[in-house]
């Protein structure tokens, strides 16, 4: 190779040039003496602001989401349901649920985000985001860090993190990616309904959600939640949907209602 | 000294470190193109999840199921008038999908990047949809969107930029089409689209925000999910060729339902035990307030939503003004050596070549000097021929000035040129001093009757159905339309360039200016529009191919003519049905028979109002019975 025919001074000069070009930013990333600084708290590290009041825009699967469907009317869920789910849905009895005090089955974490509702997102503290719904008056808590809690209630245990595109070999050739999303993994939910007419999910369901905020030219802001629900007991494949919400400034539209009011 | 092997190792390490650093901060190269470094890589094969709206996106939605769409009255009525069998019409059979509809289609997608060969900057992101071979190009190099008079395509013109972790795409210049499959929910050619593409692992989410001032009261937001495929799923073609599906159907028959006569309107509400109004209420159907709203909904309210609201003035066009109105003449290359000039009334067409310029229509004449300058920027040759599609002043206003500025050298040295004056020979007394002006004889008759200056009146006229001329290496044909908007209209077809100049028979901006007093009729207008459709050939999936220059508005192809033809037929049918029922003109006007088109074409003031159009349709139908 011609390059290796450089004399010793030439190689040295090239290496010095290259390494000096590389060393500046790398050094800067280390934070100076005393090792790396403590990472900022999740709230301070937010790449996007999700807080505020958002109203759902029911523009897809409209009939099934705006109204309680008839028994066995599954809509697009048809393509993912296993026979076990169909069997349970066929026995759906809302009166029986109410009598058993389980009228909140459609308002669990895996169902409530697809209902016609408003949501409010706020920081409970520096490490946890709170999501409230006025439909069913539910509260989801997205805690950053390791999973916390035993779950077993409608909203289960939600673990949050800020999500950035990652290289397969971290640190090789990728700088920090711009933007970011809120990633929430929810487990240990009390079994509930994916839709109000009794399509079930199990206590072993795992829901992964990505919350993105988009600012539309003209002023509207959108919150889009892309979700995946994995439930081998009832679903043949992961169930993928995305829900959109529009930012609202009129707080008077917030009308908490109990489960089963619709 | 270090060994060569040791030097190589150090060099590799240094380059790796350098790569780590530089990749995180795109180098700024002064003067380089502005293509952004991708914040998200969308490349690959993608399959729609179809876990939402599966039935609506596959077999199609049910009639009167318009819930979740913020339709205004025009959009709702357009949908209720729609008959799905309209797609049996030849020209509708292979239509592609508009960009937002394409993103909801079944079938796989393929996305790839296009980079500049030399700079490796991102030029465009391409998206190919299996259904309808939908090829979208998202320009990433900072180029501007075309002007308002540029052609529309089903996928429109898209530009993109990276914001945070999303690709944000802005699309304009889409054709009109469906917003939903099979049940008539419309999207107009005025719609614009903002999209957000995000990727989380192998989960791609596409959010579409559609703004349509013609049919929507507020933006329509939908999101679609796609799963990445590790290998090429193949089968990327979508063959379509149109043909006869219903034989012996008259060519002025367009399947549709009269207002209030949609026979299947109750099926949806009955099947799902919903109030009739549930799917017809527009924007409120998207929100949690729908349930409360429906508690007051009555059957009568639902019935009332099936027809135009009574007692209201017609809506007016919400369309973008297609005229530049900046006092300048704008040149739009059409194809080969044919150009469209915009800015001085009706559109002007110029064909150039070895011979002199062949000009179709001359505009209002207010900017004639600038029109002449624009033509001279296209060719050093003189304006040799001027053809008029109509006698109207918007098309002939520049005749005298452009004629004087031109010359027809084919006459010089001709056998017919003599020294004797025209009065003696009957030939030319000023050969070569002017452009030769051509039109149907009725243009000449009408202009002379209006006492137009002699220098503005076409002298080279034709009487029958067709005139032909070979000029600038192209065959040019004139087709007389005897009773379209007037009795002097011509379609002019540049056959090799495959460009049809339609004059006022077709515009994208207003209802046709049918003038029964000057020989126009709605039946003749429909025949003329069908004559255009008989000559057009689309390039691919119902678009491209033959260009059609409208009298006013943007450069079109057969799709726009088709939709315009459908509109005229549908309005004619509504007026005819009312006349058959004994309605007076006042009753026809009060019925708002154009309610689903007024937000596109309507006007309540100016030279051509909705009322004038409805009156013209009524009068021409009445005249036909006399």
């Amino acid at each position: 190779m011609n390059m290796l025919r450089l004399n010793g001074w030439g190689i040295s000069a090239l290496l010095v040039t290259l390494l000096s070009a590389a060393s500046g930013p790398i050094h800067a990333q280390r934070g100076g003496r005393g090792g790396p600084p403590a990472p900022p708290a999740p709230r301070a590290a937010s790449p996007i602001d999700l807080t505020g009041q958002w109203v759902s825009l029911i523009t897809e699967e409209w009939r099934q989401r705006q109204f309680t469907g008839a028994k066995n009317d599954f809509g697009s869920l048809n393509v993912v349901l296993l026979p076990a789910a169909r069997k349970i849905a066929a026995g759906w009895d809302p009166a029986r649920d109410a009598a058993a005090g389980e009228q909140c089955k459609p308002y669990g974490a895996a169902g409530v985000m697809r209902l016609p509702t408003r949501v409010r997102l706020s920081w409970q503290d520096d490490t946890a985001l709170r999501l409230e719904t006025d439909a069913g008056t539910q509260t989801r808590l997205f805690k950053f860090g390791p999973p916390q809690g035993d779950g077993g209630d409608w909203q289960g245990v939600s673990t949050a993190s800020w999500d950035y595109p990652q290289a397969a070999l971290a640190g090789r050739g990728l700088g920090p990616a711009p933007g970011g999303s809120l990633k929430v993994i929810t487990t240990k939910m009390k079994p509930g309904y994916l839709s109000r007419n009794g399509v079930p999910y199990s206590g072993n369901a795992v829901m992964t959600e990505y919350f993105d905020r988009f600012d539309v030219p003209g002023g509207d802001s959108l919150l889009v939640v892309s979700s995946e629900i994995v439930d081998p007991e009832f679903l043949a494949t992961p169930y993928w949907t995305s829900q959109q919400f529009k930012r609202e400034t009129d707080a008077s539209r917030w009308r908490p209602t109990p489960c089963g009011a619709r | 000294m270090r060994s060569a092997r040791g030097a190589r190792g150090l060099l590799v390490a240094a380059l790796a470190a350098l790569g780590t650093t530089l990749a995180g901060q795109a180098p700024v190269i002064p003067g380089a193109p502005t293509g952004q470094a991708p914040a998200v890589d969308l490349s690959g094969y993608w399959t729609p999840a179809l876990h939402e709206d599966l039935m609506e996106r596959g077999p199609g939605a049910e009639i009167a199921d318009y819930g979740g769409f913020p339709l205004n009255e025009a959009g709702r009525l357009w949908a209720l008038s729609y008959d799905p069998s309209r797609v049996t019409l030849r020209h509708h059979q292979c239509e592609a999908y508009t960009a937002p509809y394409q993103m909801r289609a079944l079938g796989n997608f393929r996305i790839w990047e296009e980079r500049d060969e030399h700079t490796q900057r991102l030029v465009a992101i391409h998206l190919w949809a299996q259904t309808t071979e939908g090829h979208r190009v998202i320009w990433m190099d900072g180029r501007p969107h075309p002007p308002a008079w540029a052609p529309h395509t089903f996928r429109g013109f898209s530009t993109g930029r990276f914001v945070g972790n999303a690709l944000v795409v802005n699309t304009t210049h889409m054709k009109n089409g469906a917003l939903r499959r099979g049940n008539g929910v419309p999207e107009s050619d005025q719609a614009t689209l903002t999209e957000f593409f995000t990727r989380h692992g192998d989960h791609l989410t596409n959010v579409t925000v559609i703004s349509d001032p013609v049919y929507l009261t507020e933006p329509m937001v939908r999101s679609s999910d796609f799963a990445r495929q590790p290998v090429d799923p193949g089968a990327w073609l979508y063959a379509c060729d149109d043909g006869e599906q219903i034989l012996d159907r008259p060519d002025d028959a367009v399947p549709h339902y009269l207002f209030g006569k949609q026979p299947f309107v109750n099926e949806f509400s009955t099947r799902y035990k919903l109030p009739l109004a549930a799917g017809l209420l527009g924007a409120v159907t998207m929100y949690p307030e729908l349930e409360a709203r429906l508690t007051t909904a009555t059957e009568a309210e639902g019935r009332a939503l099936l027809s135009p609201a009574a007692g209201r003035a017609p809506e007016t066009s919400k369309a973008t003004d297609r005229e530049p109105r900046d006092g300048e003449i704008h040149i739009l290359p059409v194809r080969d050596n044919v150009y469209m000039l915009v800015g001085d009334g009706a559109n002007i067409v110029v064909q150039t070549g070895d011979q002199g310029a062949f000009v179709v229509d001359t505009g209002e004449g207010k900017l004639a000097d600038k029109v002449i300058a624009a033509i001279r920027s296209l060719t050093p040759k003189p304006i040799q021929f001027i053809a008029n599609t109509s006698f109207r002043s918007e098309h002939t206003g520049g005749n005298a000035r452009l004629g004087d500025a031109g010359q027809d050298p084919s006459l010089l040295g001709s056998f017919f040129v003599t020294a004797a004056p025209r009065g003696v020979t009957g030939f030319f007394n000023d050969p070569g001093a002017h452009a030769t002006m051509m039109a149907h004889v009725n243009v000449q008759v009408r202009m002379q009757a209006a006492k137009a200056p002699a220098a503005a009146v076409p002298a080279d006229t034709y009487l029958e159905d067709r005139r032909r001329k070979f000029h600038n290496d192209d065959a040019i044909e004139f087709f007389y339309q005897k009773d379209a908007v007037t009795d002097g209209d011509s379609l002019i077809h540049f056959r090799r360039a495959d460009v049809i100049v339609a004059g006022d028979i077709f515009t994208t901006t207003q209802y046709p200016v049918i003038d029964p007093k000057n020989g126009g009729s709605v039946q003749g207008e429909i025949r003329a529009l069908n004559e255009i459709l008989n000559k057009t050939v689309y390039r691919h999936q119902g678009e491209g191919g033959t260009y059609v220059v409208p009298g006013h508005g943007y450069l079109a192809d057969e799709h726009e003519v088709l939709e315009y033809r459908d509109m005229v037929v549908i309005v004619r049918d509504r007026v005819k049905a009312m006349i058959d029922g004994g309605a007076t003109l006042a009753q026809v006007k009060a019925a708002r028979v154009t309610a689903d088109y007024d937000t596109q074409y309507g006007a309540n003031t100016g030279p051509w109002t909705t009322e004038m159009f409805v009156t013209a349709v009524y009068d021409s139908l009445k005249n036909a019975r006399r």
Side-chain angles (χ1 to χ4, degrees):
Chain A
M1 288 176 65
N2 288 338
M3 188 166 56
L4 294 180
R5 289 180 188 153
L6 288 170
N7 63 30
W9 287 109
I11 292 173
S12 299
L14 181 58
L15 286 173
V16 167
T17 302
L18 292 172
L19 287 168
S20 64
S23 64
I26 290 174
H27 181 74
Q29 289 166 5
R30 288 180 181 155
R33 294 178 185 174
R43 180 175 186 172
S46 305
I48 50 175
D49 179 12
L50 300 173
T51 61
Q53 180 170 309
W54 307 81
V55 60
S56 58
L57 298 170
I58 309 292
T59 58
E60 296 149 355
E61 209 76 353
W62 172 77
R63 180 175 56 77
Q64 293 84 357
R65 293 171 64 191
Q66 280 284 17
F67 308 101
T68 301
K71 191 180 290 186
N72 300 322
D73 178 5
F74 303 130
S76 303
L77 271 165
N78 245 324
V79 298
V80 294
L81 294 185
L82 288 170
R86 295 177 190 277
K87 185 176 178 183
I88 289 176
W92 167 61
D93 182 348
R96 188 179 63 212
D97 286 343
E102 300 219 314
Q103 61 270 36
C104 284
K105 275 190 161 182
Y107 298 82
V112 71
M113 300 298 286
R114 290 186 53 76
L115 294 178
T117 186
R118 285 179 167 77
V119 302
R120 280 181 174 170
L121 276 152
S122 59
W123 285 97
Q124 174 168 285
D125 53 41
D126 283 348
T127 61
L129 264 169
R130 173 197 296 269
L131 184 149
E132 300 165 278
T133 70
D134 66 356
T137 319
Q138 299 294 306
T139 300
R140 302 180 63 191
L141 201 57
F142 305 152
K143 292 185 176 177
F144 288 77
Q148 300 172 44
D150 298 327
D153 57 11
W154 299 120
Q155 305 308 330
V157 174
S158 293
T159 304
S161 60
W162 296 120
D163 184 69
Y164 305 96
Q166 297 291 325
L169 296 173
R172 177 80 64 81
L174 258 190
S181 309
L182 172 68
K183 180 179 182 180
V184 177
I185 299 175
T186 300
T187 58
K188 301 178 181 175
M189 292 175 279
K190 183 177 180 179
Y193 294 154
L194 293 172
S195 69
R196 282 182 285 189
N197 61 348
V199 176
Y201 60 87
S202 77
N204 293 321
V206 176
M207 179 168 71
T208 303
E209 298 164 289
Y210 294 91
F211 291 67
D212 286 292
R213 173 179 170 153
F214 304 121
D215 295 323
V216 182
D220 280 345
S221 292
L222 300 174
L223 168 67
V224 177
V225 184
S226 305
S227 70
E228 176 195 73
I229 298 173
V230 176
D231 186 358
E233 190 172 340
F234 291 130
L235 302 179
T237 71
Y239 175 48
W240 283 14
T241 61
S242 44
Q243 293 69 241
Q244 51 270 10
F245 300 80
K246 187 169 76 173
R247 189 173 174 82
E248 275 190 335
T249 54
D250 182 0
S252 71
R253 292 177 178 272
W254 180 259
R255 294 193 183 88
T257 53
C259 295
R262 286 177 59 101
Chain B
M1 277 183 70
R2 297 184 184 95
S3 70
R5 184 178 300 240
R8 186 188 295 142
L10 277 169
L11 199 55
V12 167
L15 287 169
L18 184 65
T20 303
T21 306
L22 294 185
Q25 40 179 259
V28 177
I29 304 171
T34 56
Q36 283 180 281
V40 53
D41 177 21
L42 305 176
S43 304
Y45 307 107
W46 300 92
T47 296
L50 297 176
H51 293 170
E52 294 179 282
D53 284 353
L54 174 64
M55 295 301 288
E56 291 80 358
R57 295 161 69 177
E62 296 175 80
I63 297 292
D65 173 13
Y66 313 138
F69 290 82
L71 292 176
N72 61 13
E73 182 195 48
R76 182 183 74 250
L77 293 172
W78 204 102
L80 287 165
S81 171
Y82 182 73
D83 180 344
S85 65
R86 199 175 299 174
V87 295
T88 62
L89 295 173
R90 172 188 283 276
H91 294 82
H92 280 297
Q93 289 172 18
C94 289
E95 287 172 337
Y97 301 160
T98 64
Y101 186 95
Q102 185 79 71
M103 301 309 296
R104 302 286 288 173
L106 310 179
N108 297 308
F109 288 75
R110 186 172 84 242
I111 300 177
W112 70 98
E113 293 180 346
E114 174 187 341
R115 288 180 180 265
D116 181 274
E117 179 183 3
H118 305 290
T119 67
Q120 288 301 303
R121 288 291 183 124
L122 186 58
V123 174
I125 294 173
H126 294 255
L127 188 154
W128 181 277
Q130 191 178 31
T131 45
T132 78
E133 299 178 6
H135 185 192
R136 297 186 60 192
V137 182
I138 300 165
W139 296 105
M140 301 297 295
D141 56 0
R143 69 183 64 191
H145 283 239
W149 49 91
H152 288 216
T153 62
F154 282 108
R155 282 90 191 187
F157 186 92
S158 299
T159 54
R161 60 200 167 93
F162 292 103
V163 177
N165 60 343
L167 170 65
V168 183
V169 179
N170 177 34
T171 300
T172 59
H173 292 78
M174 289 182 286
K175 290 184 182 294
N176 79 328
L179 202 51
R180 188 171 229 199
R181 184 173 176 80
N183 73 349
V185 176
E187 178 189 310
S188 83
D189 63 354
Q190 299 297 299
T192 57
L193 173 65
T194 302
E195 289 170 285
F196 303 90
F197 290 82
T198 51
R199 178 179 171 180
H200 299 291
D202 288 343
H203 187 162
L204 172 68
T205 302
N206 165 247
V207 180
T208 58
V209 184
I210 306 159
S211 298
D212 186 351
V214 173
Y215 293 130
L216 301 181
T217 57
E218 62 181 83
M220 167 88 190
V221 182
R222 288 186 294 197
S223 55
S224 306
D225 303 279
F226 301 84
R228 195 168 193 279
Q229 299 297 331
V231 295
D232 183 351
W236 293 108
L237 299 181
Y238 193 84
C240 185
D241 203 357
D242 59 56
E244 300 85 353
Q245 294 195 0
I246 297 176
L247 298 177
D248 295 330
R249 177 165 51 191
D251 63 2
D252 67 343
V254 174
H256 69 97
Y257 297 108
L258 299 175
F259 288 149
K261 303 293 185 186
Q262 165 58 261
F264 309 109
V265 75
N266 289 310
E267 285 189 353
F268 174 73
S269 57
T270 301
R271 179 173 298 148
Y272 299 108
K273 298 180 173 59
L274 298 172
L276 175 60
L280 306 175
L281 287 170
V284 72
T285 64
M286 302 191 300
Y287 292 101
E289 282 77 8
L290 176 62
E291 184 186 35
R293 175 67 180 80
L294 289 180
T295 60
T296 62
T298 62
E299 178 71 10
E301 181 185 17
R303 292 273 147 221
L305 292 169
L306 305 180
S307 300
R312 282 170 48 178
E315 294 280 348
T316 56
S317 174
K318 306 295 187 288
T320 303
D321 189 353
R322 304 291 182 185
E323 307 286 343
R325 301 186 200 283
D326 58 358
E328 300 297 330
I329 297 298
H330 300 264
I331 300 171
L332 182 72
V334 179
R335 179 180 290 132
D336 297 344
N337 53 338
V338 176
Y339 304 85
M340 184 170 108
L341 273 51
V342 183
D344 187 21
N347 289 328
I348 298 169
V349 167
V350 179
Q351 180 228 33
T352 62
D354 291 342
Q355 298 173 279
F358 191 107
V359 178
V360 182
D361 288 338
T362 57
E364 284 186 329
K366 294 176 181 172
L367 300 177
D369 289 342
K370 290 185 175 178
V371 171
I372 293 166
I375 294 170
R376 285 182 175 152
S377 75
L378 297 171
T379 176
K381 307 284 185 181
I383 298 170
Q384 185 170 352
F385 293 106
I386 293 171
N388 290 131
T389 61
S390 163
F391 66 82
R392 288 206 172 106
S393 60
E394 290 182 342
H395 298 262
T396 57
N399 274 11
R401 299 281 294 279
L402 267 68
D404 282 346
Q407 60 174 195
D408 183 356
S410 67
L411 297 177
L412 293 171
S414 152
F415 168 80
F416 300 103
V417 175
T418 73
R422 181 177 182 175
V424 175
T425 65
F427 296 146
F428 308 97
N429 58 2
D430 54 352
H434 305 278
T436 295
M437 286 190 270
M438 312 162 76
H440 186 268
V441 69
N442 284 353
V443 171
Q444 183 187 64
V445 170
R446 296 282 181 193
M447 292 183 73
Q448 287 173 338
K451 304 196 183 317
V457 179
D460 189 354
T461 59
Y462 73 108
L463 296 168
E464 296 189 332
D465 293 343
R466 175 173 177 256
R467 178 166 184 178
R468 56 189 186 163
K469 187 163 197 66
F470 197 89
H471 189 71
N472 282 329
D473 203 28
D474 201 351
I476 305 169
E477 291 181 291
F478 296 53
F479 296 100
Y480 175 49
Q481 307 302 306
K482 66 178 182 179
D483 55 355
V485 287
T486 69
D487 61 4
D489 307 312
S490 295
L491 300 172
I492 298 176
H493 190 182
F494 295 87
R495 290 200 335 195
R496 185 173 61 82
D498 203 10
V499 176
I500 296 172
V501 188
D504 277 347
I505 290 169
F506 164 65
T507 83
T508 67
T509 58
Q510 61 185 353
Y511 291 116
V513 190
I514 296 170
D515 183 358
K517 290 177 182 169
N518 281 307
S521 76
V522 69
Q523 277 302 117
E525 166 70 0
I526 292 168
R527 273 194 296 273
L529 291 166
N530 278 329
E531 184 72 7
I532 299 173
L533 294 173
N534 286 337
K535 299 181 188 312
T536 57
V537 181
Y538 66 76
R539 188 181 76 82
H540 181 254
Q541 305 286 355
E543 69 179 351
T546 309
Y547 277 119
V548 182
V549 178
H552 294 267
Y554 63 86
L555 179 61
D557 60 32
E558 75 170 37
H559 177 78
E560 283 81 16
V561 179
L562 175 67
E563 294 291 336
Y564 200 70
R565 188 281 312 270
D566 288 358
M567 176 271 291
V568 180
V569 168
I570 289 168
V571 172
R572 178 209 57 185
D573 288 353
R574 291 170 183 163
V575 175
K576 182 174 181 299
M578 292 194 72
I579 291 174
D580 290 346
T584 64
L585 175 59
Q587 288 171 318
V588 171
K589 288 179 181 174
R592 298 177 60 214
V593 292
T594 55
D596 46 349
Y597 292 103
D598 288 344
T599 49
Q600 177 90 42
Y601 301 114
N604 292 335
T605 58
W608 190 243
T609 65
T610 302
E611 277 209 357
M612 292 163 75
F613 169 60
V614 173
T615 302
V617 174
Y618 183 91
D619 286 348
S620 58
L621 290 173
K622 278 285 197 179
N623 290 341
R625 295 178 181 219
R626 293 189 182 116

